Amino acid sequence: MNALEYFNARLEATISPMDYLKLASTDPDKYFLIDVRNGPDHVKTLTIKDAHIIPQQELQDRLDEIPKDKEIIVYCWDVWCNTAAKVASFLLERGYQVKELTGGIAAWKEMNFPITDLTQNDHISDSCGC
């Protein structure tokens, strides 16, 4: 793979926070955003506004919640996390149209884009979910 092929493949497989926010605001019914982060709920109190929370470890049992007629956008913690890439691969193998949100929730928060504080909604449980 040469450099051009690499960058074209990368652009096809990812979407930046700015691009997602712009596209989702013009056509919100086209996208289905999923927070796929694993780990205890107490470290995941913030999520991207309107994201569906389906941790990677629950994905296999919750596929029926993910629409096949929308573009799926997955995200995890940060650029160092590969959970979203693993989920994207898993969903692509099952016929979904998927992109990874670059930078994860860390990039989203850094840009001060809309988030939801789950502690304000009493959705935090005491179970680890690990």
Side-chain angles (χ1 to χ4, degrees), residues 61-77:
D61 297 328
R62 297 179 61 189
L63 280 175
D64 60 329
E65 298 176 38
I66 304 171
K68 285 240 178 167
D69 62 339
K70 295 186 179 200
E71 185 169 343
I72 309 304
I73 309 297
V74 294
Y75 73 90
C76 54
W77 296 101

Side-chain angles (χ1 to χ4, degrees), residues 1 5 8 14 17 27 30 33 40 52 54-55 57 62 67 70 87 94 97 104 106 110:
M1 174 182 289
E5 292 168 332
N8 283 335
T14 62
D27 193 1
K30 181 178 178 180
L33 180 66
H52 301 267
I54 306 176
Q57 72 238 9
R62 297 179 61 189
K70 295 186 179 200
V87 168
R94 284 150 182 82
Q97 182 183 1
E110 183 69 26

Side-chain angles (χ1 to χ4, degrees), residues 4-71:
L4 178 59
E5 292 168 332
Y6 166 78
F7 285 110
N8 283 335
R10 184 173 164 206
L11 288 170
E12 184 179 322
T14 62
I15 188 167
S16 74
M18 292 87 45
D19 287 344
Y20 172 73
L21 193 61
K22 179 182 174 185
L23 293 171
S25 68
T26 59
D27 193 1
D29 293 330
K30 181 178 178 180
Y31 302 95
F32 191 82
L33 180 66
I34 309 174
D35 180 336
V36 298
R37 295 176 295 161
N38 292 317
D41 288 341
H42 73 276
V43 298
K44 301 184 299 182
T45 58
L46 299 178
T47 191
I48 294 175
K49 186 176 185 292
D50 299 325
H52 301 267
I53 301 170
I54 306 176
Q56 177 203 22
Q57 72 238 9
E58 298 175 15
L59 192 66
Q60 181 91 21
D61 297 328
R62 297 179 61 189
L63 280 175
D64 60 329
E65 298 176 38
I66 304 171
K68 285 240 178 167
D69 62 339
K70 295 186 179 200
E71 185 169 343

Side-chain angles (χ1 to χ4, degrees), residues 71-105:
E71 185 169 343
I72 309 304
I73 309 297
V74 294
Y75 73 90
C76 54
W77 296 101
D78 203 334
V79 294
W80 48 262
C81 181
N82 67 1
T83 301
K86 291 175 187 175
V87 168
S89 179
F90 177 85
L91 292 173
L92 285 164
E93 289 171 348
R94 284 150 182 82
Y96 291 88
Q97 182 183 1
V98 185
K99 288 190 178 192
E100 178 183 8
L101 184 72
T102 55
I105 194 165

